[in-house]
PDB file of all heavy atoms in Angstrom:
ATOM      1  N   ALA B   1     172.058 125.824 114.186  1.00 96.00           N
ATOM      2  CA  ALA B   1     170.782 126.228 113.586  1.00 96.00           C
ATOM      3  C   ALA B   1     169.779 126.453 114.711  1.00 96.00           C
ATOM      4  O   ALA B   1     170.050 126.142 115.872  1.00 96.00           O
ATOM      5  CB  ALA B   1     170.278 125.129 112.644  1.00 96.00           C
ATOM      6  N   GLN B   2     168.637 126.970 114.349  1.00 96.00           N
ATOM      7  CA  GLN B   2     167.586 127.148 115.347  1.00 96.00           C
ATOM      8  C   GLN B   2     167.076 125.799 115.837  1.00 96.00           C
ATOM      9  O   GLN B   2     166.700 125.659 116.988  1.00 96.00           O
ATOM     10  CB  GLN B   2     166.447 127.984 114.790  1.00 96.00           C
ATOM     11  CG  GLN B   2     166.817 129.433 114.619  1.00 96.00           C
ATOM     12  CD  GLN B   2     165.649 130.278 114.145  1.00 96.00           C
ATOM     13  OE1 GLN B   2     164.732 129.782 113.495  1.00 96.00           O
ATOM     14  NE2 GLN B   2     165.693 131.554 114.470  1.00 96.00           N
ATOM     15  N   HIS B   3     167.072 124.798 114.930  1.00 94.00           N
ATOM     16  CA  HIS B   3     166.539 123.476 115.266  1.00 94.00           C
ATOM     17  C   HIS B   3     167.532 122.385 114.878  1.00 94.00           C
ATOM     18  O   HIS B   3     168.287 122.524 113.912  1.00 94.00           O
ATOM     19  CB  HIS B   3     165.201 123.248 114.562  1.00 94.00           C
ATOM     20  CG  HIS B   3     164.188 124.295 114.892  1.00 94.00           C
ATOM     21  ND1 HIS B   3     163.537 124.332 116.098  1.00 94.00           N
ATOM     22  CD2 HIS B   3     163.762 125.375 114.182  1.00 94.00           C
ATOM     23  CE1 HIS B   3     162.725 125.384 116.118  1.00 94.00           C
ATOM     24  NE2 HIS B   3     162.852 126.034 114.972  1.00 94.00           N
ATOM     25  N   ARG B   4     167.512 121.267 115.595  1.00 96.00           N
ATOM     26  CA  ARG B   4     168.514 120.219 115.430  1.00 96.00           C
ATOM     27  C   ARG B   4     168.514 119.573 114.050  1.00 96.00           C
ATOM     28  O   ARG B   4     169.581 119.218 113.547  1.00 96.00           O
ATOM     29  CB  ARG B   4     168.360 119.158 116.516  1.00 96.00           C
ATOM     30  CG  ARG B   4     167.095 118.328 116.425  1.00 96.00           C
ATOM     31  CD  ARG B   4     167.002 117.314 117.569  1.00 96.00           C
ATOM     32  NE  ARG B   4     165.769 116.594 117.493  1.00 96.00           N
ATOM     33  CZ  ARG B   4     164.627 116.986 118.073  1.00 96.00           C
ATOM     34  NH1 ARG B   4     164.592 118.088 118.785  1.00 96.00           N
ATOM     35  NH2 ARG B   4     163.529 116.265 117.937  1.00 96.00           N
ATOM     36  N   SER B   5     167.371 119.374 113.428  1.00 97.00           N
ATOM     37  CA  SER B   5     167.366 118.660 112.149  1.00 97.00           C
ATOM     38  C   SER B   5     168.182 119.393 111.090  1.00 97.00           C
ATOM     39  O   SER B   5     168.927 118.765 110.332  1.00 97.00           O
ATOM     40  CB  SER B   5     165.944 118.390 111.665  1.00 97.00           C
ATOM     41  OG  SER B   5     165.265 119.599 111.415  1.00 97.00           O
ATOM     42  N   ALA B   6     168.077 120.701 111.025  1.00 97.00           N
ATOM     43  CA  ALA B   6     168.855 121.473 110.050  1.00 97.00           C
ATOM     44  C   ALA B   6     170.350 121.364 110.348  1.00 97.00           C
ATOM     45  O   ALA B   6     171.166 121.213 109.428  1.00 97.00           O
ATOM     46  CB  ALA B   6     168.419 122.934 110.054  1.00 97.00           C
ATOM     47  N   ALA B   7     170.720 121.415 111.616  1.00 97.00           N
ATOM     48  CA  ALA B   7     172.132 121.312 111.991  1.00 97.00           C
ATOM     49  C   ALA B   7     172.682 119.922 111.646  1.00 97.00           C
ATOM     50  O   ALA B   7     173.789 119.803 111.103  1.00 97.00           O
ATOM     51  CB  ALA B   7     172.318 121.618 113.471  1.00 97.00           C
ATOM     52  N   PHE B   8     171.921 118.864 111.935  1.00 98.00           N
ATOM     53  CA  PHE B   8     172.342 117.505 111.578  1.00 98.00           C
ATOM     54  C   PHE B   8     172.529 117.381 110.069  1.00 98.00           C
ATOM     55  O   PHE B   8     173.539 116.874 109.589  1.00 98.00           O
ATOM     56  CB  PHE B   8     171.309 116.460 112.033  1.00 98.00           C
ATOM     57  CG  PHE B   8     171.492 115.973 113.437  1.00 98.00           C
ATOM     58  CD1 PHE B   8     170.566 116.310 114.412  1.00 98.00           C
ATOM     59  CD2 PHE B   8     172.557 115.163 113.790  1.00 98.00           C
ATOM     60  CE1 PHE B   8     170.711 115.861 115.716  1.00 98.00           C
ATOM     61  CE2 PHE B   8     172.714 114.696 115.085  1.00 98.00           C
ATOM     62  CZ  PHE B   8     171.781 115.055 116.055  1.00 98.00           C
ATOM     63  N   ASP B   9     171.533 117.834 109.308  1.00 98.00           N
ATOM     64  CA  ASP B   9     171.582 117.714 107.852  1.00 98.00           C
ATOM     65  C   ASP B   9     172.754 118.490 107.258  1.00 98.00           C
ATOM     66  O   ASP B   9     173.436 117.996 106.360  1.00 98.00           O
ATOM     67  CB  ASP B   9     170.263 118.187 107.236  1.00 98.00           C
ATOM     68  CG  ASP B   9     169.095 117.266 107.544  1.00 98.00           C
ATOM     69  OD1 ASP B   9     169.319 116.107 107.948  1.00 98.00           O
ATOM     70  OD2 ASP B   9     167.938 117.723 107.391  1.00 98.00           O
ATOM     71  N   ALA B  10     173.000 119.683 107.749  1.00 98.00           N
ATOM     72  CA  ALA B  10     174.101 120.496 107.233  1.00 98.00           C
ATOM     73  C   ALA B  10     175.445 119.854 107.547  1.00 98.00           C
ATOM     74  O   ALA B  10     176.346 119.807 106.690  1.00 98.00           O
ATOM     75  CB  ALA B  10     174.036 121.905 107.811  1.00 98.00           C
ATOM     76  N   CYS B  11     175.600 119.351 108.744  1.00 97.00           N
ATOM     77  CA  CYS B  11     176.849 118.708 109.146  1.00 97.00           C
ATOM     78  C   CYS B  11     177.120 117.490 108.251  1.00 97.00           C
ATOM     79  O   CYS B  11     178.228 117.319 107.733  1.00 97.00           O
ATOM     80  CB  CYS B  11     176.763 118.314 110.617  1.00 97.00           C
ATOM     81  SG  CYS B  11     178.347 117.943 111.372  1.00 97.00           S
ATOM     82  N   ARG B  12     176.107 116.686 108.045  1.00 98.00           N
ATOM     83  CA  ARG B  12     176.262 115.498 107.188  1.00 98.00           C
ATOM     84  C   ARG B  12     176.587 115.894 105.750  1.00 98.00           C
ATOM     85  O   ARG B  12     177.433 115.290 105.092  1.00 98.00           O
ATOM     86  CB  ARG B  12     175.009 114.639 107.232  1.00 98.00           C
ATOM     87  CG  ARG B  12     175.160 113.408 106.384  1.00 98.00           C
ATOM     88  CD  ARG B  12     173.943 112.501 106.430  1.00 98.00           C
ATOM     89  NE  ARG B  12     174.368 111.210 105.967  1.00 98.00           N
ATOM     90  CZ  ARG B  12     174.197 110.089 106.615  1.00 98.00           C
ATOM     91  NH1 ARG B  12     173.591 110.085 107.772  1.00 98.00           N
ATOM     92  NH2 ARG B  12     174.620 108.959 106.113  1.00 98.00           N
ATOM     93  N   TYR B  13     175.935 116.921 105.249  1.00 98.00           N
ATOM     94  CA  TYR B  13     176.184 117.397 103.890  1.00 98.00           C
ATOM     95  C   TYR B  13     177.649 117.815 103.737  1.00 98.00           C
ATOM     96  O   TYR B  13     178.318 117.445 102.765  1.00 98.00           O
ATOM     97  CB  TYR B  13     175.262 118.571 103.565  1.00 98.00           C
ATOM     98  CG  TYR B  13     175.462 119.126 102.180  1.00 98.00           C
ATOM     99  CD1 TYR B  13     174.834 118.554 101.085  1.00 98.00           C
ATOM    100  CD2 TYR B  13     176.282 120.226 101.955  1.00 98.00           C
ATOM    101  CE1 TYR B  13     175.021 119.054  99.812  1.00 98.00           C
ATOM    102  CE2 TYR B  13     176.479 120.739 100.688  1.00 98.00           C
ATOM    103  CZ  TYR B  13     175.841 120.148  99.621  1.00 98.00           C
ATOM    104  OH  TYR B  13     176.037 120.651  98.350  1.00 98.00           O
ATOM    105  N   VAL B  14     178.162 118.574 104.688  1.00 98.00           N
ATOM    106  CA  VAL B  14     179.533 119.073 104.590  1.00 98.00           C
ATOM    107  C   VAL B  14     180.536 117.921 104.606  1.00 98.00           C
ATOM    108  O   VAL B  14     181.461 117.893 103.787  1.00 98.00           O
ATOM    109  CB  VAL B  14     179.847 120.108 105.684  1.00 98.00           C
ATOM    110  CG1 VAL B  14     181.328 120.469 105.694  1.00 98.00           C
ATOM    111  CG2 VAL B  14     178.999 121.364 105.485  1.00 98.00           C
ATOM    112  N   ILE B  15     180.385 116.949 105.478  1.00 97.00           N
ATOM    113  CA  ILE B  15     181.357 115.862 105.506  1.00 97.00           C
ATOM    114  C   ILE B  15     181.236 114.988 104.256  1.00 97.00           C
ATOM    115  O   ILE B  15     182.246 114.610 103.650  1.00 97.00           O
ATOM    116  CB  ILE B  15     181.295 115.016 106.808  1.00 97.00           C
ATOM    117  CG1 ILE B  15     182.496 114.069 106.894  1.00 97.00           C
ATOM    118  CG2 ILE B  15     180.005 114.261 106.955  1.00 97.00           C
ATOM    119  CD1 ILE B  15     183.849 114.734 106.882  1.00 97.00           C
ATOM    120  N   ASP B  16     180.021 114.694 103.820  1.00 97.00           N
ATOM    121  CA  ASP B  16     179.844 113.867 102.625  1.00 97.00           C
ATOM    122  C   ASP B  16     180.408 114.549 101.379  1.00 97.00           C
ATOM    123  O   ASP B  16     181.117 113.936 100.577  1.00 97.00           O
ATOM    124  CB  ASP B  16     178.369 113.525 102.405  1.00 97.00           C
ATOM    125  CG  ASP B  16     177.841 112.519 103.415  1.00 97.00           C
ATOM    126  OD1 ASP B  16     178.641 111.912 104.167  1.00 97.00           O
ATOM    127  OD2 ASP B  16     176.601 112.353 103.467  1.00 97.00           O
ATOM    128  N   GLU B  17     180.094 115.821 101.200  1.00 98.00           N
ATOM    129  CA  GLU B  17     180.581 116.559 100.031  1.00 98.00           C
ATOM    130  C   GLU B  17     182.089 116.782 100.106  1.00 98.00           C
ATOM    131  O   GLU B  17     182.773 116.754  99.080  1.00 98.00           O
ATOM    132  CB  GLU B  17     179.849 117.894  99.891  1.00 98.00           C
ATOM    133  CG  GLU B  17     178.391 117.744  99.484  1.00 98.00           C
ATOM    134  CD  GLU B  17     178.222 117.079  98.123  1.00 98.00           C
ATOM    135  OE1 GLU B  17     178.849 117.543  97.140  1.00 98.00           O
ATOM    136  OE2 GLU B  17     177.445 116.104  98.025  1.00 98.00           O
ATOM    137  N   SER B  18     182.610 116.995 101.290  1.00 97.00           N
ATOM    138  CA  SER B  18     184.052 117.171 101.443  1.00 97.00           C
ATOM    139  C   SER B  18     184.797 115.919 101.006  1.00 97.00           C
ATOM    140  O   SER B  18     185.798 115.993 100.278  1.00 97.00           O
ATOM    141  CB  SER B  18     184.403 117.499 102.894  1.00 97.00           C
ATOM    142  OG  SER B  18     183.900 118.760 103.259  1.00 97.00           O
ATOM    143  N   LYS B  19     184.318 114.746 101.426  1.00 95.00           N
ATOM    144  CA  LYS B  19     184.970 113.498 101.046  1.00 95.00           C
ATOM    145  C   LYS B  19     184.899 113.270  99.537  1.00 95.00           C
ATOM    146  O   LYS B  19     185.813 112.714  98.941  1.00 95.00           O
ATOM    147  CB  LYS B  19     184.354 112.323 101.795  1.00 95.00           C
ATOM    148  CG  LYS B  19     184.720 112.352 103.282  1.00 95.00           C
ATOM    149  CD  LYS B  19     184.406 111.092 104.017  1.00 95.00           C
ATOM    150  CE  LYS B  19     185.208 109.915 103.651  1.00 95.00           C
ATOM    151  NZ  LYS B  19     186.582 109.830 104.088  1.00 95.00           N
ATOM    152  N   ALA B  20     183.824 113.735  98.904  1.00 96.00           N
ATOM    153  CA  ALA B  20     183.639 113.529  97.473  1.00 96.00           C
ATOM    154  C   ALA B  20     184.359 114.565  96.609  1.00 96.00           C
ATOM    155  O   ALA B  20     184.790 114.248  95.501  1.00 96.00           O
ATOM    156  CB  ALA B  20     182.145 113.539  97.135  1.00 96.00           C
ATOM    157  N   ARG B  21     184.501 115.791  97.112  1.00 97.00           N
ATOM    158  CA  ARG B  21     184.949 116.882  96.239  1.00 97.00           C
ATOM    159  C   ARG B  21     186.299 117.507  96.551  1.00 97.00           C
ATOM    160  O   ARG B  21     186.869 118.179  95.682  1.00 97.00           O
ATOM    161  CB  ARG B  21     183.892 117.998  96.265  1.00 97.00           C
ATOM    162  CG  ARG B  21     182.588 117.569  95.646  1.00 97.00           C
ATOM    163  CD  ARG B  21     181.418 118.466  95.926  1.00 97.00           C
ATOM    164  NE  ARG B  21     181.631 119.881  95.820  1.00 97.00           N
ATOM    165  CZ  ARG B  21     180.700 120.791  96.145  1.00 97.00           C
ATOM    166  NH1 ARG B  21     179.507 120.398  96.568  1.00 97.00           N
ATOM    167  NH2 ARG B  21     180.958 122.079  96.045  1.00 97.00           N
ATOM    168  N   LEU B  22     186.812 117.345  97.742  1.00 97.00           N
ATOM    169  CA  LEU B  22     188.054 118.042  98.090  1.00 97.00           C
ATOM    170  C   LEU B  22     189.286 117.296  97.576  1.00 97.00           C
ATOM    171  O   LEU B  22     189.352 116.070  97.659  1.00 97.00           O
ATOM    172  CB  LEU B  22     188.173 118.219  99.601  1.00 97.00           C
ATOM    173  CG  LEU B  22     187.113 119.091 100.262  1.00 97.00           C
ATOM    174  CD1 LEU B  22     187.421 119.258 101.742  1.00 97.00           C
ATOM    175  CD2 LEU B  22     187.003 120.446  99.587  1.00 97.00           C
ATOM    176  N   PRO B  23     190.281 118.024  97.067  1.00 97.00           N
ATOM    177  CA  PRO B  23     191.523 117.392  96.624  1.00 97.00           C
ATOM    178  C   PRO B  23     192.425 117.082  97.829  1.00 97.00           C
ATOM    179  O   PRO B  23     193.415 117.763  98.093  1.00 97.00           O
ATOM    180  CB  PRO B  23     192.143 118.445  95.691  1.00 97.00           C
ATOM    181  CG  PRO B  23     191.637 119.754  96.233  1.00 97.00           C
ATOM    182  CD  PRO B  23     190.251 119.466  96.770  1.00 97.00           C
ATOM    183  N   ILE B  24     191.987 116.071  98.587  1.00 97.00           N
ATOM    184  CA  ILE B  24     192.718 115.589  99.756  1.00 97.00           C
ATOM    185  C   ILE B  24     192.906 114.088  99.566  1.00 97.00           C
ATOM    186  O   ILE B  24     191.942 113.378  99.272  1.00 97.00           O
ATOM    187  CB  ILE B  24     191.960 115.874 101.067  1.00 97.00           C
ATOM    188  CG1 ILE B  24     191.796 117.383 101.272  1.00 97.00           C
ATOM    189  CG2 ILE B  24     192.656 115.221 102.259  1.00 97.00           C
ATOM    190  CD1 ILE B  24     190.956 117.769 102.474  1.00 97.00           C
ATOM    191  N   TRP B  25     194.152 113.634  99.742  1.00 97.00           N
ATOM    192  CA  TRP B  25     194.478 112.231  99.538  1.00 97.00           C
ATOM    193  C   TRP B  25     194.992 111.630 100.828  1.00 97.00           C
ATOM    194  O   TRP B  25     195.695 112.270 101.592  1.00 97.00           O
ATOM    195  CB  TRP B  25     195.512 112.099  98.418  1.00 97.00           C
ATOM    196  CG  TRP B  25     194.996 112.707  97.156  1.00 97.00           C
ATOM    197  CD1 TRP B  25     194.136 112.137  96.265  1.00 97.00           C
ATOM    198  CD2 TRP B  25     195.262 114.025  96.669  1.00 97.00           C
ATOM    199  NE1 TRP B  25     193.857 113.019  95.241  1.00 97.00           N
ATOM    200  CE2 TRP B  25     194.540 114.196  95.466  1.00 97.00           C
ATOM    201  CE3 TRP B  25     196.048 115.094  97.125  1.00 97.00           C
ATOM    202  CZ2 TRP B  25     194.577 115.357  94.718  1.00 97.00           C
ATOM    203  CZ3 TRP B  25     196.081 116.268  96.384  1.00 97.00           C
ATOM    204  CH2 TRP B  25     195.357 116.385  95.196  1.00 97.00           C
ATOM    205  N   LYS B  26     194.650 110.355 101.025  1.00 96.00           N
ATOM    206  CA  LYS B  26     194.958 109.678 102.279  1.00 96.00           C
ATOM    207  C   LYS B  26     195.758 108.406 102.002  1.00 96.00           C
ATOM    208  O   LYS B  26     195.353 107.571 101.199  1.00 96.00           O
ATOM    209  CB  LYS B  26     193.635 109.337 102.991  1.00 96.00           C
ATOM    210  CG  LYS B  26     193.773 108.549 104.260  1.00 96.00           C
ATOM    211  CD  LYS B  26     192.478 108.454 105.055  1.00 96.00           C
ATOM    212  CE  LYS B  26     191.332 107.809 104.368  1.00 96.00           C
ATOM    213  NZ  LYS B  26     190.175 107.589 105.262  1.00 96.00           N
ATOM    214  N   ARG B  27     196.896 108.280 102.695  1.00 97.00           N
ATOM    215  CA  ARG B  27     197.709 107.067 102.610  1.00 97.00           C
ATOM    216  C   ARG B  27     197.777 106.442 103.989  1.00 97.00           C
ATOM    217  O   ARG B  27     198.178 107.085 104.962  1.00 97.00           O
ATOM    218  CB  ARG B  27     199.114 107.375 102.116  1.00 97.00           C
ATOM    219  CG  ARG B  27     199.973 106.110 101.988  1.00 97.00           C
ATOM    220  CD  ARG B  27     201.339 106.371 101.422  1.00 97.00           C
ATOM    221  NE  ARG B  27     202.035 107.347 102.246  1.00 97.00           N
ATOM    222  CZ  ARG B  27     203.064 108.049 101.832  1.00 97.00           C
ATOM    223  NH1 ARG B  27     203.504 107.928 100.598  1.00 97.00           N
ATOM    224  NH2 ARG B  27     203.664 108.908 102.640  1.00 97.00           N
TER     225      ARG B  27
END
């Protein structure tokens, strides 16, 4: 992003939503 806060927020959003929504299972 142009500025760090947007890049931090987007990165956190993607990992948090991925863990909650993706059909990926871990053993």
Side-chain angles (χ1 to χ4, degrees):
Q2 289 184 333
H3 303 285
R4 68 181 177 271
S5 63
F8 273 111
D9 291 343
C11 196
R12 181 178 199 127
Y13 180 84
V14 172
I15 191 59
D16 288 349
E17 290 298 308
S18 293
K19 289 193 68 74
R21 294 166 44 185
L22 296 184
I24 298 175
W25 302 279
K26 176 170 60 172
R27 181 176 57 200

